[in-house]
């Protein structure tokens, strides 16, 4: 009966006849596992890079239950777990087994993990597969060799590491060495490539757009929504019907919604299947960007246009030429020179007292923006403020305010967000610092000196041809930085050598088909680890993608929807934006549409103008959340149905943020300083709680990843470890007139935070309090009365 049950098990696929079983079933003595159909070592040899096995996440297998009886025990005998444990330890220690495992894709790390799982499976299962039970019994009875366990060990290893069984297929899917072949439509036509090369304000984009407007059909691809809007407006003003396509909106000029002959779009949104006569790719040097470079590569290789006009720095000419050689297309280069002169001044600004109309101070973080703008307005000057997280409407409003010759605002404080996308009448660029936070190839944040390319891009905003200033000037805030700036500007621009790539949704879907139990974040890691690129390309940084993938992993979504959510453009340093995306995904997974009313409740609409910097930053985050809704509505119209209503309140929010930015110095003062009521025994200067403001900004920093150091004056530099303003506990000395003078009061007056008149008024109030309380020294009272007159009660 037992034999019959064994063959019944064979027919059910629950048993096989391995080597080392009964002699009449045994094949000639040869190890069947010595030839592996799927090996981690590719037959291509050097073409295959080593696999990062730390990315292999083992699948947890449940111990087998004794549901149909222990057939193996009926055929042989019950196994002694102690004997099995000794046998497994012998197997693990054999160097030959470790070597064979390496040839089959298990390095030392995977071999150890697989063995631990295999041992747990054998020791905890109530019954084992018949073939495994029999081979274990044979080895225990000296009828087999411990090496005979290897095929069963490998079978288990491939169950917990399914990628071992399909590694060759995974390598083929992640082969990124021939990206031109991804775009069959573009390869079906012979394109003409024209490279317009030159510095900022050289007219290169002007000539490309001129050809674009003259064509029967065309597409403009730019890095920013502002640039796409500008071309959209310019085209329609010139009588050339043009649509606008950005990640958040699609605007058709035709009332019936039919596509126009021309389109202005952000680079990620350009179509690689629509035929055009002319295409313009702006700011081609961004093809090297570690996060977005893939979009420029895709446009350059994939646009279906008879003419491709590429605009950007000359440093990208060699790379573009090499990439076009792989497509069989020649590159025609047209070089341009700057239209107006620009001069590096011999003196640094050193103090904000030396500012002149048309000056723009460039900072590389928000805190310096706040500090500098506060110091400027303390000197009685108005300034406009522009930084990256402001809504487009607010940026344009501030730019218009600065450009208006009739507006009293003549100073601009900005980040390098002014480097492209805004037309500004700047006479002089002043670098507040030459240190800029950057993201390296590994996705790590660094602070380093700006590159020559960045310095030229920013400096070139001064003295533009279209502005009222026909000559531009450049300098620094600090004297020691000026020498370094001249060195940077005199250095040749580094040649761009590689273009970015990014795995597509289709490639990730094929990966997921092979590895159905892996998380999306793990799939991406394995893809990048296995991917092969040639010397002209690199794989873009995917940390933001993985961040979102991990955040929404627990939410049940199909793979395509999950991929779309992960590519949503969010700032992961903004907690409110991240939690909003999480709520969007959860609502989406429940198949519940995100309506206008739901969004109003989520963002607490209506909102009011901000009272401090923290509230202003929250409003900016809300604007980003509305942008996120619009971005998702373009991809899931049925689940995000109220895009038009969201645009209405987003426009209102833009106006509210504009109010806050116009009063930014007032918001800074509220955020950084709370003046407590003076007590009977304390000077008002001593009770000015500057630290309250610092604490407030530290709270804001904890939520927004911004260092709490806005009390630093423009002349001070964080990089050099300069001290900030001290609190009101500094010791104050009295001069012969009884005036308080010391480190704090002198510094406050010098930096414009207090006027001499206000300081005198504060002293009078303090003396009145002291007189009322009777704690003012008589001699001091006489001195004060003699020099200033009698105090009024």
């Amino acid at each position: 009966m037992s034999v019959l049950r064994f063959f019944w098990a064979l027919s059910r696929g629950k048993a096989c006849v391995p080597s080392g079983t009964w002699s009449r079933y045994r094949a000639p003595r040869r190890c069947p596992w010595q030839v592996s159909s799927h090996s981690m070592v590719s037959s291509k040899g050097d073409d295959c890079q080593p696999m990062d096995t730390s990315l292999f996440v083992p699948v947890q297998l449940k111990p087998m239950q004794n549901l149909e009886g222990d057939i193996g025990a009926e055929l042989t005998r019950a196994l002694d777990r102690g004997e099995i444990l000794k046998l497994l330890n012998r197997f693990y220690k054999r160097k030959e087994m470790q070597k064979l495992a390496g040839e089959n894709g298990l390095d030392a790390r995977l071999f150890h993990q697989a063995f631990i799982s295999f041992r747990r499976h054998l020791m905890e299962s109530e019954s084992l597969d018949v073939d495994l039970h029999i081979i274990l019994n044979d080895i225990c009875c000296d009828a087999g060799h411990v090496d005979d366990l290897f095929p069963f060990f490998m079978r288990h290893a491939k169950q917990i590491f399914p990628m071992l069984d399909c590694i060759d297929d995974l390598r083929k899917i992640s082969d990124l060495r021939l990206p031109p072949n991804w775009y069959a439509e573009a390869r079906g036509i012979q394109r003409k490539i024209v490279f317009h090369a030159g510095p900022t304000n050289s007219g290169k984009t002007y000539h490309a757009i001129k050809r674009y407007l003259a064509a029967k059909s065309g597409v403009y691809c730019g890095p920013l929504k502002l640039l796409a809007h500008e071309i959209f407006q310019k085209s329609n003003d010139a009588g050339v019907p043009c649509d606008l396509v950005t990640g958040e909106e699609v605007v058709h000029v035709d009332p019936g919604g039919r596509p126009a002959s021309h389109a202005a779009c952000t680079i990620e949104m350009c179509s690689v299947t629509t035929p055009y006569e002319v295409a313009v790719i702006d700011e081609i040097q961004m093809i090297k960007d570690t996060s977005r470079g893939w979009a420029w590569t895709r446009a350059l290789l994939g646009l279906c246009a008879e003419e491709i006009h590429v605009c950007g720095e000359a440093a990208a000419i060699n790379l573009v030429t090499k990439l076009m050689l792989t497509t069989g297309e020649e590159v025609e280069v047209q070089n341009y020179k700057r239209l107006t002169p620009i001069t590096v001044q011999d003196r640094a600004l050193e103090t904000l007292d030396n500012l002149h109309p048309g000056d723009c101070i460039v900072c590389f973080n928000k805190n310096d923006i706040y500090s500098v703008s506060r110091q400027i307005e303390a000197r009685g000057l108005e300034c406009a403020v522009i930084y990256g997280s402001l809504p487009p409407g607010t940026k344009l409003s501030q730019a218009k305010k600065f450009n208006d010759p009739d507006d009293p605002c003549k100073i601009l404080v900005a980040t390098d967000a002014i480097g492209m996308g805004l037309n500004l009448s700047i006479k002089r660029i002043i670098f507040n610092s030459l240190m800029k936070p950057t993201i390296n190839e590994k996705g790590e944040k660094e602070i380093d000196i700006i590159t020559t390319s960045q310095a030229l891009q920013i400096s070139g905003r001064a003295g533009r041809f279209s502005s009222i200033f026909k000559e531009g000037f450049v300098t620094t805030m600090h004297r020691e930085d000026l020498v370094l700036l001249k060195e940077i500007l005199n250095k040749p621009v580094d040649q761009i050598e590689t273009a970015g790539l990014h795995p597509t949704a289709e490639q990730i879907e094929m990966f997921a088909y092979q590895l159905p139990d892996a998380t999306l974040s793990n799939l991406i890691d394995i893809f990048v680890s296995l991917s092969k690129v040639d010397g002209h390309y690199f794989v873009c940084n995917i940390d933001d993608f993985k961040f979102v993938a991990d955040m929404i992993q627990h939410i049940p979504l199909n793979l395509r929807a999950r991929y779309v959510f992960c590519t949503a453009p969010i700032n992961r340093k903004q907690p409110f934006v991240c939690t909003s995306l999480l709520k969007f995904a959860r609502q989406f997974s429940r198949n519940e549409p995100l309506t206008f009313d739901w969004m109003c409740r989520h963002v607490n609409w209506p909102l009011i103008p901000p009272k401090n910097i923290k509230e202003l930053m929250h409003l900016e985050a809300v604007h980003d959340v509305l942008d996120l809704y619009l971005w998702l509505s373009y991809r899931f119209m049925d689940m995000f149905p109220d895009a038009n209503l969201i645009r209405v309140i987003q426009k209102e929010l833009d106006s509210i943020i504009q109010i806050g930015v116009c009063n930014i110095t007032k918001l800074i003062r509220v955020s950084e300083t709370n003046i407590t009521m003076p007590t009977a025994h304390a000077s008002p200067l001593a009770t000015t709680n500057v630290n309250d403001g610092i604490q407030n900004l530290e709270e804001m920093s904890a939520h927004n990843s911004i260092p709490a150091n806005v009390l630093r004056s423009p002349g001070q530099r964080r990089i050099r470890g300069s001290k900030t303003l001290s609190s009101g506990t500094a010791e104050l000395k009295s001069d012969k007139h009884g005036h308080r003078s010391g480190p704090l009061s002198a510094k406050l007056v010098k930096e414009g935070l207090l006027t001499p008149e206000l300081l005198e008024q504060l002293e009078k109030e303090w003396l009145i309090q002291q007189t009322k309380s009777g704690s003012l020294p008589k001699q001091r009272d006489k001195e004060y009365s003699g020099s200033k007159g009698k105090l009024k009660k």
Side-chain angles (χ1 to χ4, degrees):
M1 184 64 183
S2 297
V3 175
L4 289 176
R5 292 193 65 180
F6 173 63
F7 283 107
W8 170 81
L10 280 175
S11 67
R12 295 281 301 273
K14 296 189 177 183
C16 66
V17 183
S19 62
T21 315
W22 304 322
S23 59
R24 60 179 179 273
Y25 293 128
R26 187 181 301 166
R29 194 63 180 170
R30 179 179 66 86
C31 292
W33 56 86
Q34 288 177 346
V35 179
S36 174
S37 59
H38 298 287
S39 173
M40 286 291 291
V41 182
S42 172
S43 59
K44 297 173 185 175
D46 295 338
D47 218 18
C48 181
Q49 67 184 55
M51 174 63 185
D52 182 5
T53 57
S54 65
L55 304 174
F56 283 16
V57 179
V59 176
Q60 299 299 321
L61 299 181
K62 294 182 179 179
M64 293 181 62
Q65 303 297 318
N66 192 355
L67 300 177
E68 299 177 351
D70 193 346
I71 301 174
E74 291 182 24
L75 292 172
T76 57
R77 64 185 175 92
L79 297 173
D80 185 335
R81 302 290 175 177
E83 287 187 66
I84 299 301
L85 184 59
K86 293 178 182 179
L87 187 154
L88 290 173
N89 289 335
R90 283 165 47 204
F91 173 84
Y92 180 74
K93 294 177 181 178
R94 283 184 58 77
K95 299 295 183 183
E96 294 82 354
M97 295 300 96
Q98 296 179 21
K99 183 178 178 181
L100 280 173
E103 293 176 2
N104 283 266
L106 294 175
D107 62 9
R109 178 182 173 278
L110 294 186
F111 179 76
H112 178 74
Q113 282 187 298
F115 174 76
I116 297 297
S117 177
F118 185 55
R119 182 177 65 188
R120 184 185 301 114
H121 176 72
L122 295 186
M123 303 305 292
E124 296 179 1
S125 294
E126 294 180 8
S127 64
L128 300 174
D129 289 332
V130 177
D131 52 354
L132 178 57
H133 187 110
I134 292 172
I135 199 68
L136 286 170
N137 181 72
D138 280 2
I139 299 171
C140 291
C141 296
D142 293 327
H145 193 274
V146 69
D147 291 357
D148 291 337
L149 271 181
F150 187 79
F152 301 97
F153 168 76
M154 280 303 304
R155 183 174 70 185
H156 181 85
K158 288 180 179 180
Q159 285 180 303
I160 66 169
F161 295 119
M163 57 283 293
L164 292 174
D165 231 0
C166 57
I167 198 69
D168 289 339
D169 292 332
L170 295 179
R171 288 190 185 279
K172 290 176 183 177
I173 296 170
S174 58
D175 191 339
L176 308 179
R177 287 175 294 182
L178 294 172
N181 293 349
W182 303 348
Y183 310 102
E185 292 87 349
R187 300 292 75 80
I189 60 175
Q190 187 65 28
R191 306 180 305 170
K192 177 183 178 182
I193 313 296
V194 181
F195 196 120
H196 300 268
T200 305
N201 194 28
S202 60
K204 55 185 183 298
T205 307
Y206 167 81
H207 287 88
I209 295 299
K210 191 175 179 181
R211 177 68 187 95
Y212 160 84
L213 295 174
K216 295 178 181 178
S217 63
V219 60
Y220 168 84
C221 309
L224 301 172
K225 286 184 286 186
L226 283 174
L227 285 171
H229 273 275
E230 182 183 339
I231 301 303
F232 166 73
Q233 195 69 44
K234 185 179 292 185
S235 296
N236 288 297
D237 290 346
V240 178
C242 178
D243 293 338
L244 175 67
V245 183
T246 68
E248 293 75 25
E249 63 179 331
V250 177
V251 179
H252 293 289
V253 292
D254 182 78
R258 288 174 302 207
S261 59
H262 288 66
C265 62
T266 46
I267 190 79
E268 287 87 353
M269 298 303 296
C270 69
S271 170
V272 293
T273 57
T274 306
Y276 298 102
E277 182 183 347
V278 170
V280 176
I281 303 175
D282 207 359
E283 306 293 350
I284 188 61
Q285 68 274 3
M286 290 190 70
I287 200 170
K288 68 176 180 180
D289 188 84
T290 55
S291 298
R292 298 178 65 200
W294 63 269
W296 275 263
T297 305
R298 173 177 172 269
L300 181 63
L301 298 177
L303 281 172
C304 297
E306 298 171 21
E307 293 182 26
I308 307 285
H309 290 260
V310 179
C311 306
E313 296 177 1
I317 293 176
N318 289 340
L319 176 62
V320 171
T321 302
K322 290 176 182 177
L323 296 184
M324 293 302 96
L325 283 176
T326 64
T327 65
E329 296 161 338
E330 295 182 359
V331 178
E332 175 188 326
V333 179
Q334 296 182 8
N335 289 296
Y336 300 83
K337 293 183 179 180
R338 185 176 168 86
L339 298 174
T340 56
I342 187 165
T343 304
V344 181
Q345 295 183 321
D346 292 328
R347 293 187 61 184
L349 191 71
E350 296 190 12
T351 172
L352 296 178
D353 294 328
N354 295 330
L355 286 172
H356 298 295
D359 281 350
C360 172
I361 301 178
V362 176
C363 309
F364 292 114
N365 64 69
K366 272 189 183 179
N367 288 343
D368 286 347
I369 291 279
Y370 298 150
S371 176
V372 171
S373 59
R374 180 200 60 194
Q375 297 297 322
I376 290 172
E377 296 210 2
R379 288 164 167 77
L381 302 173
E382 286 192 33
C383 66
V385 174
I386 296 176
Y387 50 87
S389 59
L390 287 178
T394 304
K395 290 178 185 174
L396 290 172
S397 173
Q398 291 290 296
K400 183 179 179 181
K401 178 182 178 182
F402 174 71
N403 289 339
D404 187 354
D406 299 325
D407 195 290
C409 172
K410 302 299 180 186
I411 308 297
L412 175 64
V413 183
T415 63
D416 53 339
I418 64 165
M420 58 182 72
L422 289 169
N423 292 316
L424 298 163
S425 295
I426 299 173
K427 182 177 182 180
R428 179 170 60 169
I429 289 287
I430 302 161
F431 285 93
N432 187 58
S433 170
L434 298 178
M435 307 298 292
K436 174 180 167 61
T438 58
I439 303 296
N440 63 20
E441 295 80 1
K442 299 179 180 179
E444 300 166 340
K445 189 172 182 179
E446 297 178 339
I447 297 180
D448 203 356
I449 298 172
I450 59 173
T451 64
T452 300
S453 175
Q454 292 167 340
L456 289 171
Q457 183 80 18
I458 298 169
S459 301
R461 308 305 293 179
R464 291 180 63 82
F465 184 75
S466 58
S467 73
I468 60 174
F469 303 110
K470 300 308 176 186
E471 184 177 1
F473 299 92
V474 183
T475 188
T476 60
M477 177 66 72
H478 309 280
R479 186 185 308 171
E480 60 270 26
D481 282 344
L482 188 56
V483 176
L484 179 58
L485 177 63
K486 290 181 178 179
E487 291 178 5
I488 293 172
L489 293 174
N490 288 329
K491 286 170 57 179
V493 178
D494 294 335
Q495 292 294 305
I496 299 173
E497 298 178 352
T498 53
L501 293 174
H502 194 280
T504 64
E506 293 75 15
Q507 290 168 326
I508 298 304
E509 279 184 337
M510 288 189 285
F511 246 59
Y513 177 79
Q514 301 285 349
L515 306 173
D517 296 318
T519 65
L520 180 55
S521 178
N522 191 227
L523 284 176
I524 290 289
D525 278 335
I526 296 173
F527 185 98
V528 173
S529 177
L530 284 174
S531 63
K532 296 186 285 290
V533 296
D534 68 20
H536 300 320
Y537 300 97
F538 68 92
V539 179
C540 285
N541 182 275
I542 52 171
D543 284 350
D544 287 346
F545 186 101
K546 287 172 53 186
F547 173 81
V548 178
D550 289 332
M551 185 172 66
I552 65 173
Q553 179 57 41
H554 65 286
I555 299 176
L557 295 168
N558 64 62
L559 183 66
R560 181 56 70 102
R562 191 180 300 277
Y563 182 91
V564 171
F565 272 93
C566 291
T567 55
I570 69 166
N571 182 354
R572 57 177 171 162
K573 294 180 182 178
Q574 293 182 331
F576 183 66
V577 178
C578 294
T579 55
S580 297
L581 178 62
L582 193 61
K583 289 183 179 180
F584 288 179
R586 190 176 291 118
Q587 189 93 342
F588 182 94
S589 71
R590 294 195 292 257
N591 203 31
E592 298 175 5
L594 287 92
T595 62
F596 175 74
D597 291 339
W598 188 94
M599 280 296 296
C600 288
R601 290 193 300 271
H602 176 64
V603 301
N604 293 322
W605 186 263
L607 297 166
I608 60 174
K611 298 183 179 66
N612 52 50
I613 288 295
K614 188 174 181 179
E615 290 184 7
L616 175 61
M617 296 175 73
H618 176 69
L619 292 182
E620 293 169 8
V622 172
H623 192 279
D624 287 348
V625 170
L626 300 182
D627 253 353
L628 176 62
Y629 182 99
L630 295 174
W631 190 90
L632 289 167
S633 72
Y634 181 73
R635 290 146 182 87
F636 305 111
M637 295 182 185
D638 54 337
M639 297 300 294
F640 297 84
D642 296 329
N644 291 332
L645 294 174
I646 294 297
R647 283 194 184 90
V648 172
I649 66 170
Q650 190 185 44
K651 191 172 182 180
E652 292 181 33
L653 177 58
D654 201 331
S655 301
I656 294 171
I657 293 174
Q658 288 181 38
I659 295 172
V661 173
C662 289
N663 298 319
I664 195 165
T665 53
K666 180 180 178 181
L667 304 185
I668 295 168
R669 284 197 296 271
V670 172
S671 295
E672 66 184 20
T673 306
N674 292 322
I675 300 179
T676 59
M677 292 297 292
T679 62
H681 300 282
S683 163
L685 285 179
T687 57
T688 300
N689 196 350
V690 180
N691 285 331
D692 285 350
I694 297 175
Q695 183 179 0
N696 193 4
L697 287 170
E698 285 175 348
E699 292 173 0
M700 181 169 63
S701 301
H703 292 86
N704 297 280
S705 301
I706 294 177
N709 188 19
V710 298
L711 296 181
R712 186 166 44 84
S713 72
Q716 295 171 313
R717 304 184 61 191
R718 183 184 299 106
I719 196 68
R720 298 177 186 276
S722 299
K723 296 180 181 179
T724 59
L725 293 181
S726 60
S727 65
T729 58
E731 181 182 353
L732 302 178
K733 298 179 181 179
S734 302
D735 61 16
K736 65 180 180 180
H737 299 296
H739 293 170
R740 295 282 181 172
S741 62
L744 178 62
S745 59
K747 202 165 191 177
L748 291 174
V749 173
K750 181 179 178 181
E751 295 184 0
L753 296 174
L754 282 177
T755 63
E757 293 77 13
L758 181 58
L759 180 62
E760 185 175 284
Q761 181 64 32
L762 288 171
E763 289 183 333
K764 283 183 180 180
E765 292 176 5
W766 176 73
L767 289 169
I768 289 172
Q769 292 289 339
Q770 296 292 78
T771 302
K772 286 181 179 179
S773 64
S775 59
L776 185 69
K778 293 182 178 180
Q779 182 62 29
R780 179 68 181 275
D781 185 36
K782 290 179 181 178
E783 289 179 359
Y784 188 83
S785 300
S787 60
K788 296 290 181 181
K790 294 182 179 180
L791 293 173
K792 296 181 181 180
K793 293 185 180 179

